[in-house]
Amino acid sequence: MTEQQIRFCKNADGVRIAYSTMGSGPPLVRVSGWVSHLEDDIAPDFFARDGIIALAQQFTLIRYDKGGTGLSDRNLGHYTLESRLADLEAVVSSLKLKKFSLLAISEGGPIGIAYAARHPRQVDRLVLWSTYARGPSLSKPEMREALLSVVRASWGAGSDMMTNMFMPGASAEEARTFALHQRRAATKEDAAALLEAVYESDVSDLLARVSCPTLVIHSRSDKAIAYRHGLEVASGIPGARLVTLEGRGHLPEPEVMAESIRQAAEFILEGLPIRRTTADGKQSDQRQGLLTVMFTDLRDSTALTQRLGDARAQQELVHRHNQVVREALAAHGGREVKHTGDGIMAAFGSGSNAIDAAIAIQEAFGDDQAVQVRIGLNAGEPVAEDGDLFGATVQLAARVCSRAEPGDVVVTNVVRELAMGKGFLFSEQSPAALKGFEEPVRLFAVHRGQ
């Protein structure tokens, strides 16, 4: 089973927030439903375990316990949309994420909607799963008060009632496991306060401000959050796609959940190759469209290895290079394709993200004369197979890297055109005659604008 690493940070109000990272690949932040517990919901019997592991196989999956739940500070009193946004902002800040995708589930949906509307440059893609925009319209006031009264009076009975709403038709063991998870994740006082926050949240006025590509997934038979709420969200966000589930309710059967996770992952990874398992068990990739390919190259790494010795060079040069590059990939939505010996080849679904990552790498090395890196970028539609990328797009990116000077980021004209208007400064170089390409290639050194 994929291991998670749990860390802690503090939000703007000084509340301790627990978060975890699992897997590798483009960063995906999951905003959970009303209660969660990082040390509980990957337990073998918990319904979400397989889904979490499936996501961690394709992404750097980031999860966190909102204030009042799980390993985060509890007994905080009243909870608001602003306080829950502060939790998410603290996790993003702690991990120094520049660009990432959001998967917001159930009660986490309004948090994801509000964050995407307020931070449009940070959210690459948004998936909203069985959620809503207007909390006050979720149920009639008398039904709301009845549920809150039961939760406050007996968390055992309250958790059973919530389970019946979330998982109608679940087996006795499934219901027992989920009810126990809720009680572990929050006290009855926190559960009631968080439930009140569900009914108070209203982000309907923010739907039109969500500008990133958005996928809305909702079950037609959802009893906890009616299907009409998913329709309202999908119709309110410009260009949003809607996927309708035919499962048994708010938390569908494992096979329905697996299919919706697959669709969510493919939506997030559009523009990047998606690794699939074929019938014979082999791994293959499917090209999903335009990619920006980046090559990094350590200057004179062979000479430095001879001078410092293999072990020291590996530790002091290559290790540092790899760490800096991989941190930049995680922060800007890139995927490492392979290590080339003297550098790393990576792919991005966005030209501007690729440039951001390349500049961040050079800024991280700064004036360090021991580690000098050159970086080249090209965009196109490479051939994807067995986790690797091939073809003229890749070959040209490698040639561009070889022409760059240490400390520089050099891009082709197609990358420049993809990133026009995004705040970068391009300085055209002399057309280059590159091996394997008949026509001279227009190249540009790129810097961050002031």
Side-chain angles (χ1 to χ4, degrees):
M1 185 174 68
T2 305
E3 296 291 335
Q4 66 173 346
Q5 297 183 2
I6 296 176
R7 300 180 178 87
F8 297 88
C9 60
K10 287 189 177 182
N11 70 14
D13 298 321
V15 176
R16 184 187 65 179
I17 302 299
Y19 67 92
S20 74
T21 57
M22 300 173 68
S24 61
L28 171 62
V29 179
R30 191 189 83 159
V31 186
S32 68
W34 74 309
V35 296
S36 66
H37 198 307
L38 291 176
E39 288 192 324
D40 193 35
D41 62 359
I42 58 169
D45 292 333
F46 189 68
F47 80 95
R49 171 181 178 269
D50 291 342
I52 291 169
I53 292 176
L55 289 172
Q57 289 173 343
Q58 301 183 74
F59 304 97
T60 298
L61 180 61
I62 299 148
R63 302 180 302 135
Y64 69 98
D65 290 331
K66 296 190 289 290
T69 68
L71 299 177
S72 296
D73 283 346
R74 300 195 185 188
N75 302 314
L76 301 176
H78 188 60
Y79 300 93
T80 66
L81 178 63
E82 293 302 322
S83 69
R84 290 174 295 159
L85 272 171
D87 298 342
L88 175 54
E89 289 167 348
V91 173
V92 170
S93 176
S94 181
L95 288 168
K96 297 180 174 60
L97 298 177
K98 299 293 192 301
K99 195 86 169 176
F100 58 92
S101 293
L102 268 177
L103 168 60
I105 300 170
S106 188
E107 184 269 344
I111 303 170
I113 291 167
Y115 191 94
R118 296 184 185 184
H119 304 275
R121 289 179 60 85
Q122 283 188 291
V123 181
D124 197 22
R125 291 194 170 234
L126 175 64
V127 177
L128 300 169
W129 194 333
S130 298
T131 192
Y132 61 96
R134 293 181 296 120
S137 67
L138 287 175
S139 67
K140 296 180 179 179
E142 56 270 23
M143 294 180 63
R144 186 182 316 157
E145 287 305 315
L147 178 57
L148 286 167
S149 296
V150 173
V151 171
R152 292 190 187 103
S154 171
W155 191 199
S159 62
D160 289 340
M161 183 178 291
M162 297 297 295
T163 298
N164 290 334
M165 290 174 56
F166 289 151
M167 305 173 68
S171 69
E173 179 60 22
E174 288 173 331
R176 184 198 67 80
T177 300
F178 186 65
L180 179 59
H181 163 70
Q182 292 177 95
R183 295 195 295 273
R184 287 174 176 168
T187 65
K188 69 177 182 179
E189 292 80 11
D190 277 328
L194 288 161
L195 194 55
E196 285 183 320
V198 169
Y199 294 122
E200 292 171 356
S201 298
D202 188 341
V203 294
S204 56
D205 61 330
L206 297 178
L207 293 176
R209 290 172 51 187
V210 176
S211 57
C212 63
T214 301
L215 178 68
V216 178
I217 301 174
H218 213 106
S219 173
R220 198 184 303 275
S221 60
D222 195 330
K223 303 300 183 185
I225 300 176
Y227 182 60
R228 61 184 173 85
H229 295 286
L231 292 177
E232 179 182 27
V233 170
S235 62
I237 296 176
R241 304 183 200 174
L242 174 67
V243 170
T244 301
L245 304 180
E246 300 297 340
R248 66 187 173 199
H250 195 59
L251 301 177
E253 300 89 339
E255 61 272 16
V256 177
M257 181 171 288
E259 172 61 18
S260 56
I261 286 174
R262 183 191 66 78
Q263 293 194 43
E266 290 195 358
F267 172 76
I268 296 168
L269 287 171
E270 281 182 356
L272 288 176
I274 297 174
R275 177 157 292 184
R276 302 176 182 273
T277 301
T278 58
D280 58 3
K282 294 182 179 180
Q283 297 290 325
S284 66
D285 284 342
Q286 180 181 33
R287 187 173 61 205
Q288 295 292 299
L290 184 70
L291 295 177
T292 299
V293 178
M294 178 177 79
F295 276 88
T296 69
D297 181 57
L298 275 165
R299 189 197 70 162
D300 296 329
S301 59
T302 302
L304 289 168
T305 298
Q306 293 174 347
R307 181 160 56 86
L308 298 176
D310 289 341
R312 186 178 171 193
Q314 177 68 25
Q315 181 179 8
E316 294 188 12
L317 301 179
V318 180
H319 176 73
R320 179 156 182 247
H321 162 270
N322 295 349
Q323 182 181 27
V324 168
V325 172
R326 286 165 181 161
E327 287 177 354
L329 296 182
H332 297 278
R335 179 180 76 89
E336 181 176 343
V337 177
K338 63 183 177 182
H339 200 281
T340 61
D342 290 339
I344 284 177
M345 172 185 170
F348 297 78
S350 161
S352 59
N353 284 5
I355 294 175
D356 266 330
I359 293 175
I361 292 167
Q362 298 294 25
E363 289 175 344
F365 290 126
D367 297 327
D368 189 341
Q369 296 299 310
V371 184
Q372 295 188 33
V373 176
R374 49 190 181 184
I375 301 177
L377 303 174
N378 182 42
E381 294 188 354
V383 177
E385 183 178 346
D386 292 332
D388 206 347
L389 299 176
F390 304 92
T393 298
V394 175
Q395 294 168 3
L396 183 53
R399 299 282 189 271
V400 172
C401 181
S402 69
R403 288 295 298 261
E405 294 294 326
D408 282 351
V409 177
V410 176
V411 305
T412 58
N413 187 53
V414 65
V415 177
R416 181 185 71 94
E417 291 179 343
L418 288 172
M420 289 295 288
K422 298 298 180 64
F424 302 111
L425 299 178
F426 296 92
S427 175
E428 187 162 10
Q429 301 181 336
S430 299
L434 301 179
K435 182 180 178 181
F437 296 88
E438 295 182 0
E439 300 294 329
V441 178
R442 293 182 68 190
L443 299 179
F444 299 81
V446 59
H447 306 276
R448 208 181 299 281
Q450 300 300 318

